[in-house]
């Protein structure tokens, strides 16, 4: 059994960021900056409350008689207690023989076109650790994009206005950036385990390194671009942020309404329809918060029983990064036009070039990850780079087809044909009639090249057929593993 190190990292980042934010808010209060103090506390306490609610919801503490745990969650000490509980469970494994053991079946990665199915016994202690890991993976994402990302943007904006970085503010910014990158990394790993739930996934260190570099460049570039734009056009940053947020918040709901699917009722048995609606709104709220700063590896699909889209759509990802690159370039151009004297000691063209190159480096590491380091790349039915190339070619084709220069307005339409042209046309028509008469009885050889957007439908259907024969305990342990 693996050491629950991911739980320790999540709790360490949560505790360090909360402590640094509280200290920085006290310095703002001493300096009389009540607005900065209030916003710093807001971006600290709101995600902390959401983390406590998430842990309580996943562990179902409301339906169990655990008043002390609920009290500690109210005091915002829930993650620390859960971490200690996870390490106590890990230390007790093997000391006492467990009376109940479940069996899980996982497929290994195919080698030579075949994949073997392996059975493994899972005890109660390991099942509880699975639940703890799944809970902290989700809370890391919540803490990263609903707390750390706004906090980092706020503190960097204050640094630009005050033209200086204090020790407390710099410490909080570094911890916030690490928290965001770690949350994005956990989101990637969580998406892989959900999509390939039937397979035994082994994420190697090179994959972690590629994800870390990819997310670091992507998130850091996005935050700097937003701060630079907001420092010169304060009134226009709100429409930009709201437009981005509303698009990604409403997008899953629009797809759900277009599918005409029934309202999902299987999220939690104890929830009413109003409670289920609130949970779905919070889920899409988090989804919009993630896509505000980076590409969300977990795609929300409300008409799916698991609420997650398990198919990989390269074209959607390609369109996202193309539009995001254009948006960042546009915001940097507006900043360059309207920049103030605050940036007189900065080489503005060089800064714009560095930010665009940094975003391109992020895309490069993303391509390296999916092409060479993805743990399930053998299950890909199409090449990710080819998907990006097809998408760019399709966009270029659409642009060329709509341009008026490519429309055939030729002399043959405006001028009458010459006699030589008429003779050639008559000869061509007679040859065509002869060829068509000789080929009427031949079979039609026409083929159609279709673009397949849902790449993983076959593996998922196979996994579902295998999983139907497993008892309830096995399904419970598999869901905990996800």
């Amino acid at each position: 059994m693996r050491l629950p190190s991911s739980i320790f990292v999540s709790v360490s980042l949560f505790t360090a960021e909360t402590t640094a934010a509280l200290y920085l808010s006290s310095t703002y209060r001493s300096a009389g900056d009540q607005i900065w103090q209030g916003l710093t506390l807001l971006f600290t306490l709101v995600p902390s409350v959401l983390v406590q609610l998430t842990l309580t919801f996943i562990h179902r503490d409301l339906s169990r008689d655990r008043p002390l745990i609920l009290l500690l969650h109210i005091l915002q000490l829930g993650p620390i207690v859960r971490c200690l509980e996870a390490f106590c469970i890990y230390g007790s494994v093997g000391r006492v023989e467990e009376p109940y053991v479940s069996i899980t079946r996982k497929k290994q990665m195919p080698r030579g076109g075949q994949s073997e199915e392996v059975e493994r016994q899972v005890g109660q202690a390991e099942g509880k650790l699975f639940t703890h890991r799944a809970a902290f993976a989700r809370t890391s994402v919540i803490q990263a994009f609903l707390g750390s990302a706004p906090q980092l943007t706020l503190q960097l904006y204050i640094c630009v206005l005050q033209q200086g970085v204090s020790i407390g503010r710099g410490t909080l910014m570094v911890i916030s950036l690490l928290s965001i990158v770690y949350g994005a990394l956990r989101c990637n790993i969580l998406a892989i385990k959900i999509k390939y739930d039937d397979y035994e996934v082994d994420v190697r260190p090179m994959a972690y390194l590629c994800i870390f570099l990819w997310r670091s460049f992507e998130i850091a570039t996005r935050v700097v671009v937003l701060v630079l734009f907001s420092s010169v056009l304060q009134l226009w940053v709100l429409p930009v942020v709201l437009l981005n947020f509303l698009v990604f918040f409403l997008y899953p709901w629009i797809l759900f309404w277009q599918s005409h699917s029934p309202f999902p009722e299987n999220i939690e048995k104890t929830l009413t329809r109003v409670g289920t609606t609130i949970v779905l709104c919070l889920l899409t709220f988090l989804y919009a918060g993630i896509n505000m700063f980076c590409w969300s590896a977990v795609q929300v699909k409300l008409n799916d029983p698991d609420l997650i889209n398990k198919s990989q759509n390269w074209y959607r990802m390609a369109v996202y990064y193309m539009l995001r690159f254009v948006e960042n370039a546009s915001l940097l151009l507006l900043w360059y036009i309207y920049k103030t004297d605050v940036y007189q000691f900065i080489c503005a063209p060089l800064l714009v070039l560095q930010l665009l190159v940094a975003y391109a480096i992020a895309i490069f590491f993303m391509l390296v990850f999916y092409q060479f380091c993805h743990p399930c790349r053998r299950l890909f039915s199409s090449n990710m780079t080819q998907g990006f190339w097809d998408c760019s070619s399709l966009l270029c084709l659409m642009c060329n087809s709509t341009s008026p220069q490519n429309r055939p307005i030729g002399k043959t339409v405006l001028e009458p044909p010459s006699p030589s042209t008429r003779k050639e046309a008559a000869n061509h028509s007679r040859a065509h009639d002869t060829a068509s008469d000789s080929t009427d009885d031949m079979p039609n050889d026409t083929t159609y090249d279709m673009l397949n957007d849902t790449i993983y439908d076959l593996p998922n259907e196979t996994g579902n057929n295998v999983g139907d024969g497993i008892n309830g305990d096995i399904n419970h342990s598999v869901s905990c593993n996800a």
Side-chain angles (χ1 to χ4, degrees):
M1 184 184 301
R2 294 183 293 109
L3 181 71
S5 56
S6 60
I7 298 176
F8 178 76
V9 174
S10 300
V11 176
S12 299
L13 289 173
F14 172 80
T15 307
E17 186 175 5
T18 304
T19 305
L22 293 177
Y23 169 76
L24 186 61
S25 65
S26 65
T27 60
Y28 286 145
R29 181 180 180 182
S30 301
D33 297 329
Q34 297 181 355
I35 297 178
W36 304 140
Q37 177 195 2
L39 291 176
T40 303
L41 290 177
L42 177 67
F43 294 143
T44 303
L45 296 179
V46 171
S48 178
V49 172
L50 293 177
V51 166
Q52 312 298 325
L53 292 176
T54 303
L55 291 175
T56 305
F57 178 79
I58 293 177
H59 290 280
R60 306 174 187 272
D61 290 323
L62 295 178
S63 60
R64 301 162 65 185
D65 188 13
R66 306 184 70 181
L68 179 60
I69 297 297
L70 293 177
L71 177 61
L72 292 174
H73 276 291
I74 294 174
L75 298 176
Q76 308 301 307
L77 298 176
I80 300 176
V81 177
R82 299 292 186 184
C83 180
L84 294 177
E85 183 180 357
F87 275 91
C88 289
I89 294 173
Y90 177 78
S92 63
V93 172
R95 295 182 180 179
V96 181
E97 184 177 357
E98 298 182 0
Y100 177 77
V101 176
S102 60
I103 299 176
T104 59
R105 294 187 179 95
K106 291 285 186 180
K107 295 180 182 179
Q108 293 182 342
M109 286 296 127
R111 296 179 179 178
Q114 297 180 353
S115 59
E116 298 180 356
E117 194 175 53
V118 179
E119 292 185 356
R120 191 168 66 89
Q121 294 182 352
V122 178
Q124 290 181 347
E126 190 172 357
K128 292 179 181 179
L129 276 181
F130 287 157
T131 306
H132 280 287
R133 287 194 181 97
F136 275 99
R138 287 154 176 81
T139 56
S140 297
V141 178
I142 294 174
Q143 174 68 24
F145 293 100
L146 298 185
S148 301
Q151 189 75 266
L152 176 61
T153 308
L154 172 66
Q155 302 307 324
L156 185 58
Y157 178 76
I158 297 173
C159 290
V160 172
L161 292 184
Q162 297 183 357
Q163 300 184 21
V165 182
S166 62
I167 297 177
R169 192 183 300 125
T171 304
L172 179 59
M173 289 169 58
V174 171
I175 297 174
S176 298
L177 180 59
L178 291 176
S179 177
I180 302 170
V181 174
Y182 180 75
L185 188 147
R186 297 306 307 172
C187 185
N188 274 93
I189 303 302
L190 186 64
I192 293 172
K193 291 186 176 181
I194 291 176
K195 291 177 182 178
Y196 305 99
D197 189 30
D198 300 323
Y199 289 87
E200 188 175 354
V201 179
D202 183 21
V203 184
R204 298 188 176 183
M206 282 302 299
Y208 282 109
L209 180 61
C210 284
I211 296 175
F212 183 83
L213 294 174
W214 160 28
R215 295 305 193 178
S216 298
F217 281 101
E218 181 182 9
I219 294 169
T221 303
R222 179 63 176 171
V223 171
V224 173
V225 169
L226 290 177
V227 169
L228 290 177
F229 178 76
S230 61
S231 63
V232 295
L233 296 172
Q234 291 88 353
L235 297 179
W236 286 99
V237 68
L238 188 60
V240 171
V241 172
L242 287 179
L243 180 62
N244 274 271
F245 188 84
L246 288 177
V247 166
F248 290 107
F249 179 81
L250 297 176
Y251 181 69
W253 291 101
I254 293 174
L255 293 181
F256 174 68
W257 290 328
Q258 289 180 348
S259 64
H260 302 287
S261 300
F263 189 79
E265 302 285 354
N266 57 345
I267 298 178
E268 180 64 32
K269 296 180 180 179
T270 59
L271 291 178
T272 60
R273 182 176 286 267
V274 177
T276 303
T277 305
I278 294 174
V279 172
L280 294 178
C281 288
L282 290 176
L283 179 63
T284 51
F285 186 86
L286 176 61
Y287 176 73
I290 296 173
N291 283 281
M292 177 71 66
F293 294 93
C294 66
W295 167 258
S296 175
V298 177
Q299 294 294 306
V300 176
K301 187 177 182 181
L302 299 180
N303 58 346
D304 190 87
D306 296 329
L307 304 178
I308 300 297
N309 188 2
K310 296 182 180 180
S311 62
Q312 185 67 53
N313 194 325
W314 303 123
Y315 303 98
R316 185 183 300 175
M317 183 184 295
V319 170
Y320 173 86
Y321 276 101
M322 290 178 183
L323 294 179
R324 186 65 78 199
F325 187 86
V326 172
E327 182 193 4
N328 289 339
S330 303
L331 295 180
L332 287 175
L333 179 61
L334 292 174
W335 168 79
Y336 181 78
I337 295 174
Y338 296 101
K339 66 180 184 297
T340 59
D341 295 335
V342 176
Y343 303 99
Q344 60 182 347
F345 299 106
I346 298 177
C347 182
L350 181 60
L351 180 59
V352 171
L353 180 62
Q354 288 176 343
L355 290 174
L356 294 179
V357 170
Y359 200 78
I361 292 174
I363 298 176
F364 169 76
F365 280 113
M366 179 196 66
L367 294 175
V368 171
F369 168 72
Y370 281 105
Q371 190 74 26
F372 303 105
C373 301
H374 196 284
C376 303
R377 62 186 180 277
R378 296 178 183 174
L379 301 176
F380 291 170
S381 59
S382 67
N383 194 313
M384 187 254 186
T385 308
Q386 185 64 32
F388 269 70
W389 180 257
D390 292 342
C391 181
S392 59
S393 301
L394 181 62
L395 292 177
C396 294
L397 182 62
M398 293 173 61
C399 294
N400 292 332
S401 62
T402 56
S403 62
Q405 296 178 354
N406 295 328
R407 294 176 184 174
I409 307 177
K411 295 171 62 178
T412 57
V413 179
L414 300 178
E415 299 178 359
S418 61
S420 61
T421 306
R422 292 175 181 173
K423 292 180 180 178
E424 292 178 357
N427 295 332
H428 178 71
S429 62
R430 285 194 296 269
H432 177 71
D433 293 338
T434 305
S436 61
D437 292 337
S438 62
T439 57
D440 281 340
D441 298 332
M442 294 177 64
N444 190 3
D445 244 359
T446 306
T447 58
Y448 297 91
D449 187 13
M450 304 296 290
L451 296 178
N452 187 8
D453 289 344
T454 56
I455 300 172
Y456 296 115
D457 289 344
L458 285 176
N460 284 335
E461 292 176 1
T462 307
N464 292 333
N465 293 333
V466 174
D468 290 340
I470 307 173
N471 55 20
D473 298 328
I474 299 170
N475 289 331
H476 174 71
S477 61
V478 170
S479 64
C480 291
N481 190 10

